[in-house]
Amino acid sequence: MYVIVIIVALIGGVGTVLVGLSKENAKQNHEYESKAKENISKIVLFYLIAIIAFIIMWVLIVD
């Protein structure tokens, strides 16, 4: 069960980065690229913190 949650979070993170870096998004909004890198960095950081928090909670519960 825990592995499934981690896999879904990783897939969500990778999907977010791929959508954020897509050329179609940049074509529709000229300011997109200047803000995209900052936004993607924040989202990736959020996913990493969430995964680390989940692992810490899992270790504390299992022990």
Side-chain angles (χ1 to χ4, degrees):
M1 180 69 175
Y2 296 111
V3 173
I4 293 172
V5 173
I6 292 171
I7 290 172
V8 169
L10 289 174
I11 290 171
V14 170
T16 301
V17 170
L18 292 176
V19 169
L21 295 176
S22 71
K23 291 181 181 180
E24 292 178 15
N25 284 336
K27 287 179 185 177
Q28 293 177 359
N29 185 355
H30 299 293
E31 295 179 10
Y32 182 81
E33 281 201 35
S34 64
K35 294 181 181 180
K37 291 179 183 178
E38 180 182 342
N39 291 338
I40 290 172
S41 299
K42 289 178 185 178
I43 292 172
V44 169
L45 180 63
F46 174 77
Y47 275 110
L48 289 175
I49 291 170
I51 291 171
I52 291 169
F54 176 78
I55 291 171
I56 290 171
M57 289 184 346
W58 182 55
V59 168
L60 292 174
I61 292 172
V62 171
D63 286 343

